[in-house]
Amino acid sequence: MSRTITVKFGGTSLADASQIRKAAEIVKANPERKYLVASAPGKRFSDDVKVTDLLYSCYSEFARGNDYSEVLAKIKERYASIITELGISFDIGAEIDAIEQELRTYPPADYLASRGEYINSKIIAEFLGWPFVDAAEVIFFNENGFFDGEKTFMTVNARLRDLPNAVIPGFYGSMPDGKIHTFSRGGSDVTGSIVARSVNADVYENWTDVSGMLSADPRIVDSPRPIEYITYTELRELSYMGASVLHEDAVFPVRKAGIPINIRNTNRPDDNGTLIAASLPSDVKRTPVTGIAGRKGFTSIRVERSQMNGQTGFGARLLYIFSRNGIPFEHCPTGIDTISVVVNSSMFDAKRDEILREIKNELAPDFITIEKNLAVIAVVGEGMVRVKGVAAKIFGSLADAGVNVRMIDQGSDELNIIVGVDESDYESAVKALYRAMIEQ
Ligand code: ASP
């Protein structure tokens, strides 16, 4: 049976006609690339404006009762030059008229925002000679605005089953009343994942403007090594890297179906990029540590009570105090008579007095110690479990760099070692860890 690849191209990969040509070449180079999910045109240069942002500003002018024709003209112009340079016939005037027509009925902001992907996908479909399938007809949200997976996967599958190829706009779908609703920003990644899952693709290729994920933050470490292979679990543990390369929610649909994601670079199509999969082929050689990611802005609340280990429910009640105040906990290292709860500082500061009062009243602790200005760094790698001396190396490198370790937490799966350091030591800690664990 022939393989199926779902491809998604991001905004910079489709920002102008020459980028769209590159994307088309990539698609045509492999007939397994059957379904294409498109973003709206993104930035062509660093201080350019994304079409989606133009659409949002058009909407805010409209909502304030101001004249929005200038912004709309800019949007029209962006598409008009793409159409001319691609040499296709496409009536952009009719699309813009349709938007103006719709604005008379006061549609939600999401409607306008979605037009970026809608028009771009129609143009790309025309250029490729592929059918266009509107996401509003196949991707659904429930009345609370949550993605309706069951209905969507079935509908996308039924719609695409008989189409050898199709272009589907990313970023949006429709509500039960037919109104357009979008995912959060960067949501075309999610659409790509949904389409890949629905057609049971062999791979979900996510084409962007970098050759994959990096093993550390390039603002701290000089040209960090790219990550060639990473498991879904490692990726989650590295979530402090942020969603700069891939929208966090894009992982879930494909991960459940065991479909790997391949992050690729439209401007360097020969690079392998990063392959994210549930498990990796056994012949893949990797360093024990796959990546290092961290973040500043945490506070640790350490609660001490003698003979805590003999009591039941102490930890549950402590965590419940945080949950009922709406504060998720990040890490929770324990000692025999202590539990520390590491939380986001700004969230904690907003509820600090209530939380401390509740801990005192409900748990009668011997001491509560608050440590502020904590940075948390995750050193992540499935290979760590098989190698001796990893922890020694991690802590040795931090000691050599003069970094004082204020917290240690190891995930129960030996996949990560979390260290808490003073915020002022954060950059030197990441550099030292990178040098010792990845650069070697
Ligand atoms: N165009 C949307 C945004 O700029 C969605 C996307 O590109 O993924 O957020």
Side-chain angles (χ1 to χ4, degrees), residues 164-376:
N165 303 109
V167 180
I168 306 108
F171 191 38
Y172 71 95
S174 59
M175 300 284 285
D177 63 3
K179 288 215 168 72
I180 297 282
H181 187 66
T182 62
F183 292 105
S184 57
R185 295 299 304 265
S188 299
D189 283 344
V190 185
T191 311
S193 178
I194 291 166
V195 171
R197 158 87 179 266
S198 306
V199 301
N200 200 16
D202 293 274
V203 186
Y204 167 29
E205 286 181 352
N206 187 294
W207 291 83
T208 174
D209 53 5
V210 289
S211 290
M213 305 177 57
L214 297 172
S215 51
D217 186 340
R219 289 166 301 185
I220 302 174
V221 171
D222 254 353
S223 348
R225 245 187 238 173
I227 298 176
E228 228 179 307
Y229 295 99
I230 185 168
T231 65
Y232 280 120
T233 321
E234 290 174 326
L235 183 71
R236 276 298 296 151
E237 295 295 341
L238 286 171
S239 62
Y240 290 140
M241 272 184 183
S244 52
V245 180
L246 188 72
H247 192 296
E248 256 194 278
D249 295 343
V251 163
F252 302 108
V254 279
R255 179 182 186 168
K256 236 182 159 172
I259 300 167
I261 305 177
N262 192 187
I263 312 277
R264 303 282 296 263
N265 188 347
T266 305
N267 303 318
R268 295 174 59 101
D270 293 333
D271 289 357
N272 292 333
T274 300
L275 190 77
I276 310 163
S279 61
L280 303 174
S282 53
D283 54 344
V284 163
K285 289 219 170 14
R286 300 199 300 160
T287 45
V289 170
T290 304
I292 295 164
R295 200 177 281 170
K296 293 182 183 177
F298 293 102
T299 298
S300 158
I301 300 94
R302 191 159 69 97
V303 182
E304 185 171 342
R305 164 126 188 210
S306 63
Q307 290 174 339
M308 188 193 79
N309 67 328
Q311 300 179 24
T312 50
F314 191 90
R317 279 180 287 152
L318 176 61
L319 292 179
Y320 182 51
I321 292 172
F322 284 88
S323 89
R324 117 181 136 212
N325 280 284
I327 300 184
F329 76 93
E330 205 74 20
H331 298 285
C332 188
T334 58
I336 195 133
D337 285 336
T338 60
I339 303 189
S340 295
V341 185
V342 179
V343 294
N344 175 297
S345 298
S346 50
M347 283 178 130
F348 175 69
D349 290 345
K351 290 285 178 96
R352 183 193 157 101
D353 293 345
E354 290 98 304
I355 289 179
L356 295 183
R357 191 176 343 103
E358 289 169 26
I359 295 177
K360 279 183 197 145
N361 290 346
E362 293 172 38
L363 298 170
D366 299 333
F367 301 103
I368 304 178
T369 319
I370 297 181
E371 291 203 53
K372 299 201 295 194
N373 306 327
L374 205 59
V376 170

Side-chain angles (χ1 to χ4, degrees), residues 32-95:
E32 293 169 349
R33 297 186 174 123
K34 295 176 188 158
Y35 304 110
L36 186 157
V37 173
S39 276
K43 293 184 178 192
R44 295 158 294 182
F45 37 88
S46 67
D47 52 2
D48 196 13
V49 185
K50 292 175 168 195
V51 165
T52 308
D53 289 321
L54 289 173
L55 287 161
Y56 278 120
S57 51
C58 179
Y59 191 83
S60 56
E61 294 302 331
F62 158 77
R64 279 194 234 120
N66 295 342
D67 178 17
Y68 54 82
S69 56
E70 207 177 301
V71 202
L72 203 54
K74 265 194 203 153
I75 295 164
K76 185 175 176 184
E77 187 38 48
R78 282 284 305 260
Y79 286 116
S81 66
I82 290 177
I83 292 160
T84 319
E85 285 171 44
L86 288 180
I88 52 172
S89 75
F90 186 90
D91 190 355
I92 185 63
E95 297 295 343

